[in-house]
């Protein structure tokens, strides 16, 4: 290894000092005549007081509402902020919106009588609290936990609960219901009805329906009248005539271009690389990972795509385990970025540098780094590709370019049936709704010439559209075999919208998976070929080279990613039988599971000889797809794993669109294979104390598999299916039946 000379180190250190001086020159060399307006410091700001004391913060800010959110992906936080904004607009009430992870709850009993605490709680996994709400739930559910009154009582505390869940899951809104039950048990008084949002249908519609009855009940309970607030903006957007280009955020960039260029000249990629430290990459700080491999897993020329991507994490400090998830940070497609720029009349100013200031930092934080540009905000930071929400359409109606457009927007806002037919079924994004309202052709590529401009202030756009969130995929590799890379298996989402009187059927493309498909095409120098019979489908294009071209080096592309931990893990003892059920891309984590066992088998065989796996438990994988010749994922790999595991790995395959079929001609699915192998399945679970893992569709497959397991276990125990269902429930409680499912 080469050792840097003292002169090299001195030059590098000087470079860092100069970079810092350049970046902070405004502060360092500010004129001595400039005077700042003195601000009275708060005790909390000076460190006098406990930063985890929310009661002190409420008193200091004269806030009557405190809103705690349990959020895993950011959605619950968005709804918490919406509630806070509406309380301010309707009643003039100030709120403290809090991440419960940052506070202690001993003084929850000290909430003033004229105040209220609101819980916006998502349910995660198998009826579990989100990571940031674990401490809160422990405080509420532990009868030994004492509040400042010396008891586990919250007598007379006014509270509100809104839950976020998905009805296709067994533990639908379990955490919100548990919060409600525990507070009621402690003597607290709920204001209005508990709200429950269902993400399987429409979280937005559930929220709107709930709040229409909640706010009147809230006003009565707190003795406030509507109309006391005002329609004040959350942000102030300022266009900057002159600003150093290298200090403008144009996307997911960890450092300014000046610093990166300096470090590159020294052979380093970042400040962390320079100091040889490993940073923490998470949902707030993704890592730009190079794509090592990208390939198509489905038969080439078919009407579907499934992309296999291998992401380089060497030197990043990122570690992972089998069963974890990788968060991929996509971009909004070029067409939607152009569409909204045109609809907002900003196309000619798309590269204008803007600064955004929060007018109420306690309520509305600027959701992205600034200064930035109009196009960067729409491309990288806010989710303009989602179906437009009904509430925002009423907000934007007042800026309509014509009376007809105004009436169109107000009708969609007030008539939820019409909204469902036109917007939800038509899968219309905000830019498309604005075009449709103005009478523009949404099928043409948007330009300033064919798109009517609306005079919508940009601060309202920022306030009304949620932040663009990462898309999560089960990692399909094991770090034991692939320590420097994370593998992703993503079926590319593409489907037709439902026709209505205003919009013909159109192809809708998933943002994350089509972003990965774009990367694959570019990395391999491929020209996207029209699928057979789908020549009219135009694939969305993305600015995959990244801000300032930072995500491309010749033919190597980079994707911002981070790893999210999971409890979806193999048993530590290889003697325990394992049953895995994963049709389609549900097989992704099980590829990682099998690789994990293969790595252990190699070491065990090397150490103990050919019979070393004799007492290992059987690993069974139940897999299904359409055809063995069309979409059989990793078809060539499974025989190799079977050989290396010396017969301890068995694969059962169901091909729903090729023979054999059932006697009545119907298709065979994974649950049918499990029933056919019921003797071995029952023996593995009841006698071998085995583990069962299910990954994939929550709405149909997962439920069908659980029902079959209940039948098998009930029969094996000489009882009924109800007895089997009780056994299934017990397995879940003991983490011997684990699910990683989605709808």
């Amino acid at each position: 290894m080469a050792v840097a000379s003292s002169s090299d180190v001195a030059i590098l250190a000087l470079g860092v000092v100069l970079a810092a001086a350049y970046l902070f020159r405004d502060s360092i060399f500010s004129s001595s005549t400039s005077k700042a307006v003195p601000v009275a410091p708060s005790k909390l700001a000076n460190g006098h007081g406990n930063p985890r004391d929310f009661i002190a913060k409420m008193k200091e800010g004269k806030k009557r509402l405190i809103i705690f959110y349990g959020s895993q992906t950011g959605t619950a936080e968005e709804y918490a902020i919406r509630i806070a904004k509406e309380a301010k607009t309707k009643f003039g009430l100030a709120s403290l919106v809090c991440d419960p992870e940052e506070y202690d709850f001993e003084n929850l009993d000290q909430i003033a009588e004229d105040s209220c605490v609101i819980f916006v709680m998502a349910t995660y996994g198998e009826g579990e609290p989100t990571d940031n709400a674990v401490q809160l739930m422990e405080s509420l559910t532990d009868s030994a936990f004492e509040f400042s009154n010396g008891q586990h009582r919250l007598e007379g505390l006014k509270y509100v609960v809104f839950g976020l869940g998905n009805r296709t899951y067994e533990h639908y809104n379990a955490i919100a219901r548990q919060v409600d039950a525990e507070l009621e048990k402690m003597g607290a008084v709920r204001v209005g009805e508990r709200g429950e949002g269902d993400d399987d249908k429409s979280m937005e519609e559930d929220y709107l329906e709930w709040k229409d009855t909640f706010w009147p009940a809230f006003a009565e309970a707190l003795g406030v009248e509507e109309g006391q607030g005002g329609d004040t903006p959350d942000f102030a957007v300022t266009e900057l005539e002159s600003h150093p280009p290298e200090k403008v955020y144009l996307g997911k960039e960890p450092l300014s271009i000046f610093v990166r260029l300096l470090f590159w000249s020294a052979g380093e990629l970042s400040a962390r690389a320079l100091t040889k430290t490993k940073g923490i990459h998470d949902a707030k700080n993704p890592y730009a990972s190079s794509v090592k491999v990208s390939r198509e897993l489905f038969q080439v020329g078919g009407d579907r795509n499934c992309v296999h991507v291998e992401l380089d994490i060497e030197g990043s400090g990122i570690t992972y385990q089998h069963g974890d998830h990788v968060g991929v940070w996509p971009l909004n497609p070029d067409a939607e970025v152009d569409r909204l720029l045109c609809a907002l009349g900003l196309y000619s100013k798309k590269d204008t540098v803007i600064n955004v200031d929060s007018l109420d930092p306690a309520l509305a934080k600027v959701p992205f780094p600034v200064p930035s540009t109009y196009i960067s905000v729409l491309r990288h930071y806010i989710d303009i590709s989602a179906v437009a929400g009904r509430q925002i359409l009423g907000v934007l109606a007042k800026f309509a370019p014509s009376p007809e457009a105004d009436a169109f927007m107000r009708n969609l806002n007030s008539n939820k049936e019409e909204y469902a037919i036109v917007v939800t079924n038509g899968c219309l994004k905000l830019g498309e709704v604005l075009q449709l309202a103005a009478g523009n052709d949404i099928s043409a590529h948007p330009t300033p010439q064919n798109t009517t401009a609306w005079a919508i202030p940009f601060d309202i756009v920022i306030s009304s559209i949620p932040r663009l969130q990462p898309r999560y995929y089960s990692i399909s590799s094991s770090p034991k075999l692939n320590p420097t890379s994370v593998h992703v298996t993503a079926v590319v989402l593409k489907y037709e919208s439902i026709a209505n009187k205003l919009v013909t059927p159109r192809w809708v493309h998933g943002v994350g998976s089509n972003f990965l498909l774009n990367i694959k095409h570019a990395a391999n120098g491929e020209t996207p070929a029209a699928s057979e019979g789908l020549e009219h489908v135009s694939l969305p294009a993305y600015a995959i080279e990244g801000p300032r071209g930072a995500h491309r080096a010749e033919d190597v592309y980079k994707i911002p990613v981070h790893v999210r931990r999971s409890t979806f893990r193999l048993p530590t003892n290889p003697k325990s039988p394992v049953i895995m059920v994963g049709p389609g891309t549900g097989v992704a984590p099980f590829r990682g599971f099998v690789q994990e066992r293969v790595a252990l088998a190699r070491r065990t065989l090397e150490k103990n000889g050919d019979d070393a796996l004799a007492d290992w438990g059987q690993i069974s994988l139940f897999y299904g797809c359409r055809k063995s010749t069309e979409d059989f994922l990793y078809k060539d790999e499974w025989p190799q794993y079977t050989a290396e595991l010396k017969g301890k790995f068995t694969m059962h395959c169901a091909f729903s669109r090729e023979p054999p079929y059932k006697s009545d001609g119907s298709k065979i699915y994974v649950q049918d294979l499990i029933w056919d192998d019921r003797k071995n399945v029952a023996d593995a679970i009841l006698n071998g104390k085995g583990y069962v893992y299910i990954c994939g569709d929550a709405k149909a497959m997962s439920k069908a598999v659980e029902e079959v397991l209940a039948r098998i276990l009930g029969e094996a125990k000489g009882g009924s299916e109800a007895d089997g269902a009780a056994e299934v429930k017990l397995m879940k409680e003991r983490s011997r039946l684990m699910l990683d499912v989605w709808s």
Side-chain angles (χ1 to χ4, degrees):
M1 179 183 293
V3 179
S5 68
S6 57
S7 60
D8 289 338
V9 173
I11 291 171
L12 198 55
L14 177 61
V16 173
V17 171
L18 290 173
Y22 178 85
L23 286 173
F24 302 106
R25 62 192 186 283
D26 295 340
S27 302
I28 298 172
F29 303 112
S30 58
S31 169
S32 59
T33 58
S34 350
K35 295 183 180 179
V37 179
V39 179
S42 69
K43 291 183 178 180
L44 286 175
N46 282 333
H48 303 294
N50 180 5
R52 298 181 64 83
D53 182 356
F54 56 81
I55 294 293
K57 290 187 178 181
M58 288 181 73
K59 289 179 179 177
E60 184 186 37
K62 298 180 180 178
K63 301 178 187 297
R64 291 177 61 183
L65 301 182
I66 182 165
I67 307 176
F68 292 108
Y69 59 85
S71 189
Q72 196 74 19
T73 63
T75 306
E77 181 181 4
E78 290 166 9
Y79 278 95
I81 292 172
R82 285 178 68 171
I83 292 172
K85 289 179 180 178
E86 291 191 34
K88 180 181 178 182
T89 302
K90 287 177 178 289
F91 309 107
L93 294 177
S95 304
L96 186 65
V97 180
C98 298
D99 182 339
E101 198 170 33
E102 299 175 358
Y103 295 90
D104 298 319
F105 297 95
E106 286 84 355
N107 56 1
L108 189 60
D109 59 314
Q110 295 178 24
I111 297 285
E113 188 177 344
D114 67 344
S115 299
C116 183
V117 58
I118 300 175
F119 298 91
V120 183
M121 309 298 293
T123 298
Y124 179 60
E126 291 299 293
E128 303 156 13
T130 56
D131 292 343
N132 74 321
V134 171
Q135 180 192 342
L136 168 62
M137 294 306 296
E138 289 175 351
S139 301
L140 295 180
T141 58
D142 184 1
S143 59
F145 181 85
E146 294 183 353
F147 297 102
S148 63
N149 57 19
Q151 307 175 65
H152 192 64
R153 298 289 296 172
L154 293 171
E155 215 71 53
L157 173 73
K158 295 185 181 71
Y159 74 93
V160 175
V161 178
F162 181 76
L164 295 85
N166 189 304
R167 200 174 292 276
T168 61
Y169 292 75
E170 178 184 352
H171 303 281
Y172 173 63
N173 264 312
I175 297 302
R177 295 175 182 181
Q178 188 176 12
V179 167
D180 191 13
E182 294 293 337
L183 290 170
E184 186 178 33
K185 192 189 305 181
M186 288 185 281
V189 179
R190 189 181 66 234
V191 175
E193 295 298 319
R194 180 182 67 243
E196 293 189 351
D198 179 11
D199 191 43
D200 183 51
K201 291 186 177 178
S202 175
M203 185 79 69
E204 173 78 5
E205 286 301 321
D206 291 336
Y207 171 75
L208 294 179
E209 185 176 344
W210 169 74
K211 78 182 186 70
D212 285 346
T213 58
F214 161 67
W215 286 122
F218 174 88
E220 182 179 351
L222 269 72
V224 293
E225 293 184 7
E226 192 165 345
Q228 301 302 306
D231 190 10
T232 56
D234 297 320
F235 304 106
V237 178
T238 309
E239 295 183 355
L240 305 179
E241 293 183 5
S242 176
H243 199 82
E246 69 278 358
K247 296 176 73 175
V248 178
Y249 290 90
L250 301 181
K252 298 170 183 69
E253 299 176 284
L255 296 170
S256 79
I257 190 69
F258 179 83
V259 172
R260 281 191 279 111
L261 286 172
L262 177 68
F263 290 157
W264 285 339
S265 69
E268 304 290 348
L269 291 176
S270 68
R272 288 173 178 158
L274 183 70
T275 58
K276 306 302 180 187
T277 60
K278 295 184 177 181
I280 297 174
H281 294 285
D282 53 23
K284 296 179 180 178
N285 180 37
Y287 171 70
S289 170
S290 297
V291 176
K292 298 172 69 173
V293 174
S294 58
R295 68 176 190 270
E296 177 63 53
L297 293 177
F298 286 171
Q299 179 189 14
V300 176
D303 63 351
R304 299 183 302 149
N305 296 93
C306 187
V307 179
H308 171 86
V309 177
E310 299 181 14
L311 301 164
D312 189 357
I313 57 171
E314 187 171 12
S316 67
I318 292 177
T319 60
Y320 74 99
Q321 296 185 53
H322 66 280
D324 282 347
H325 303 107
V326 60
V328 173
W329 291 77
L331 316 174
N332 287 305
D334 295 347
E336 295 313 314
V337 175
D338 289 347
R339 192 185 314 277
L340 206 48
L341 284 169
C342 293
L344 297 174
L346 295 173
Y347 191 82
S348 63
K349 302 168 67 175
K350 60 184 178 182
D351 295 315
T352 298
V353 179
I354 59 171
N355 193 50
V356 181
D357 292 300
S358 174
L359 300 179
D360 186 353
L363 176 60
K365 298 176 182 177
V366 179
F368 45 80
V370 289
S372 188
T373 63
Y374 288 120
I375 191 170
S376 297
V377 171
L378 298 183
R379 173 170 284 149
H380 293 277
Y381 297 125
I382 60 178
D383 194 359
I384 65 173
S385 299
V387 173
R390 184 158 63 91
Q391 190 170 15
I392 187 179
L393 303 184
V395 174
L396 301 183
K398 68 182 75 173
F399 305 104
S402 68
E404 292 78 14
D406 182 356
F408 182 90
M409 298 287 278
R410 293 188 188 280
N411 179 49
L412 290 178
N413 170 247
S414 60
N415 188 333
K416 68 178 184 179
E417 289 77 17
E418 184 76 2
Y419 167 84
I421 292 171
V422 175
V423 180
T424 304
N425 290 348
C427 299
L428 295 179
K429 306 167 186 67
L430 179 59
E432 292 173 326
V433 174
L434 295 178
Q435 281 188 311
L436 199 62
N440 304 144
D441 179 6
I442 66 172
S443 65
H445 187 87
T447 65
Q449 289 71 40
N450 64 21
T451 304
T452 303
W454 295 52
I456 301 170
F458 200 64
D459 66 89
I460 293 180
V461 174
I462 298 170
S463 299
S464 305
I465 301 178
R467 181 158 184 165
L468 184 61
Q469 297 290 343
R471 271 51 175 178
Y472 289 98
Y473 301 92
S474 297
I475 294 176
S476 57
S477 57
S478 161
K480 299 286 196 304
L481 291 189
N482 300 279
T484 62
S485 65
V486 167
H487 296 190
V488 176
T489 308
V491 67
V492 178
L493 182 61
K494 175 175 84 255
Y495 60 94
E496 272 194 300
S497 63
I498 300 172
N500 59 66
K501 60 186 178 182
L502 296 176
V503 184
T504 58
R506 301 170 311 122
W507 284 95
V508 181
H509 297 84
V511 170
S513 58
N514 281 277
F515 169 67
L516 292 176
L517 182 60
N518 260 242
I519 295 282
K520 182 189 83 75
H521 287 322
N524 297 328
E526 301 167 348
T527 300
S531 300
E532 184 178 351
L534 301 176
E535 289 79 6
H536 61 291
V537 180
S538 177
L539 295 178
Y542 297 79
I544 57 176
E545 295 189 357
R548 301 185 176 93
H551 292 167
R552 179 184 180 184
E554 296 182 348
D555 292 331
V556 177
Y557 288 83
K558 295 182 179 181
I559 300 175
V561 299
H562 74 279
V563 168
R564 184 176 73 184
R565 301 301 174 197
S566 170
T567 57
F568 203 64
R569 297 272 189 273
L570 280 167
T572 54
N573 187 352
K575 296 179 181 180
S576 299
V578 172
I579 296 169
M580 305 175 295
V581 187
T585 52
V587 80
F590 301 136
R591 178 175 181 261
F593 279 32
V594 174
Q595 287 186 357
E596 188 84 1
R597 280 289 189 258
V598 166
L600 180 60
R602 288 176 181 175
R603 294 198 302 271
T604 305
L605 290 167
E606 183 179 351
K607 182 178 179 181
N608 300 316
D610 290 343
D611 296 329
L613 309 185
D615 61 347
W616 277 29
Q618 191 70 25
I619 305 171
S620 300
L621 171 59
F622 293 87
Y623 171 73
C625 62
R626 292 182 182 181
K627 294 183 178 181
S628 59
T629 56
E630 180 181 296
D631 54 353
F632 190 168
L633 299 181
Y634 303 109
K635 181 179 181 179
D636 297 334
E637 293 184 18
W638 304 114
Q640 175 191 338
Y641 300 147
T642 301
E644 292 213 53
L645 289 169
K646 305 295 183 183
K648 291 298 180 178
F649 171 56
T650 305
M651 193 166 185
H652 307 260
C653 297
F655 305 115
S656 62
R657 299 191 182 184
E658 67 179 50
Y661 298 107
K662 294 181 183 176
S663 57
D664 62 359
S666 58
K667 298 172 181 176
I668 294 177
Y669 296 109
V670 286
Q671 59 266 30
D672 302 309
L673 298 180
I674 294 170
W675 177 253
D676 290 343
D677 197 40
R678 55 189 176 278
K679 182 179 178 181
N680 291 326
V681 168
D683 182 63
I685 294 173
L686 297 176
N687 300 322
K689 304 298 180 185
Y691 290 71
V692 179
Y693 302 86
I694 304 172
C695 182
D697 169 50
K699 190 176 294 186
M701 182 277 295
S702 179
K703 287 184 177 180
V705 169
E706 287 192 46
E707 289 170 0
V708 166
L709 288 174
R711 284 173 58 200
I712 291 172
L713 296 177
E715 181 182 278
K717 297 183 74 173
S720 65
E721 189 171 333
D723 296 323
E727 184 70 24
V728 168
K729 183 179 180 182
L730 186 63
M731 289 179 66
K732 285 185 176 181
E733 292 172 353
R734 295 178 175 176
S735 297
R736 285 181 51 215
L737 171 55
M738 305 185 73
L739 281 71
D740 182 2
V741 295
W742 58 86
S743 63

